Every structure is written in C-alpha cells, then in structure tokens.
Amino acid sequence: MPAPTLTPELAEQLSRVSTSHDRSVVYAPCLVRLKSGEVLPRVYLVEESTFLEYWGEEQRRPVLDPNEIESIEESPMRMPAALATQIYNAHESGMGYFIFTVRLRNGSSVPFLTGNAVDFPDWPEGIQPSDAVAVEPHVGREHFQTAEGGQRSAKYVWCLYSHDLLTTVT
C-alpha cells in the first residue's frame, strides 16, 4: 500500500524546507507538529518511491504517518543543507556509515559518525547547527576507535509520503 499524499497545505509548507540530496534521494529534515500537539524536531520527510529505490524495502522503518501531521517547518536541529549535501556527495566512509568533521564558526571542529542519513547529527552541548561553517568528509576516523569517541546521530523519525505530492504543489 503506498504512503499517503500530503495535503496541499502541508505540501506547500514542505516546499519551503531546504533539502539535502544523496544521489536520487531528496531529504527534507523537518520539525513537525502533530495533530495531537506533540512536536517532533527531527523528522525526515522523503518521497516513498525514491526512499525505497535507494534504501530498499528491507530498510523500511517504522515511520510517521503523514496524516498525523498538523504542520511542517524547517528543523532548527538540522545541519545546513549545503553541508549535508557535500557529505552525501562524498559518498559513504564505509559500508552503511559516514564519518565527517564539522568546522565551526569559532575555529574548532567536531567529528561525527552517522548512519547513511547525516542531516541530524547529535550536536554537543552549546553548539548549534548555525555554528557549522564547513565539513570535511571522511575526516575524524581516529576519534571513533573507542566507544566514547566523537559524536553520533541524534534520534530521528522517517515520514514517507506519496509521489502524488508533485502534482499537488504549484
């Protein structure tokens, strides 16, 4: 059964979110407000057919139903889109993961190890995504030789929607 389409209002809101790109997949890292009142600050909205083409049916995860969403906006927790796309364009550091170092406005840097989705790193205390000014893909591996080293991915939720979205946005 295909994923639901977004309402025209939600499709319009999604169109205002900066996207990152990994080959054929367009990621929209969002903050969503649910009809229940709950706010989810780390949600990937992704068109279902491209998700399945890239990730495969076996990678389908429990996902948020688009029918539960009240509103969509840019996530304040997401890495700047251009930096995430730069990491995606460098391809995986190893099978199923990315290692990269984020350079910060103050001159310091933070290494990260994530799965195949990089937009929601687990930012250290006191660091905001807006502090990120550059990335170095595949740099920082030495920080992950022990379990305590470096930063990982924050927890996030997938939300898949039907391709019909493209016909509802004008």
Side-chain angles (χ1 to χ4, degrees), residues 139-160:
V139 173
R141 184 176 302 275
E142 66 278 6
H143 296 281
F144 299 97
Q145 301 303 316
T146 65
E148 306 82 44
Q151 295 297 117
R152 310 287 176 168
S153 290
K155 292 187 188 294
Y156 54 83
V157 176
W158 291 101
C159 181
L160 305 181

Side-chain angles (χ1 to χ4, degrees), residues 91-104:
H91 304 294
E92 295 173 317
S93 302
M95 183 66 111
Y97 68 92
F98 284 90
I99 290 177
F100 55 92
T101 295
V102 176
R103 298 282 173 210
L104 304 174

Side-chain angles (χ1 to χ4, degrees), residues 23-102:
R23 291 170 249 168
S24 63
V25 181
V26 177
Y27 297 106
C30 301
L31 176 147
V32 300
R33 296 177 199 288
L34 302 180
K35 292 175 181 173
S36 68
E38 184 179 3
V39 175
L40 302 176
R42 295 180 187 95
V43 177
Y44 277 107
L45 272 107
V46 180
E47 196 279 317
E48 181 183 49
S49 66
T50 58
F51 175 91
L52 294 175
E53 181 180 313
Y54 178 75
W55 290 85
E57 185 66 45
E58 67 279 359
Q59 293 297 317
R60 185 187 287 271
R61 296 160 170 86
V63 296
L64 175 65
D65 182 337
N67 293 321
E68 296 178 32
I69 298 175
E70 179 72 30
S71 66
I72 299 170
E73 60 188 81
E74 189 90 32
S75 173
M77 304 308 296
R78 62 95 43 95
M79 178 183 303
L83 299 182
T85 297
Q86 184 179 343
I87 295 166
Y88 288 128
N89 287 341
H91 304 294
E92 295 173 317
S93 302
M95 183 66 111
Y97 68 92
F98 284 90
I99 290 177
F100 55 92
T101 295
V102 176

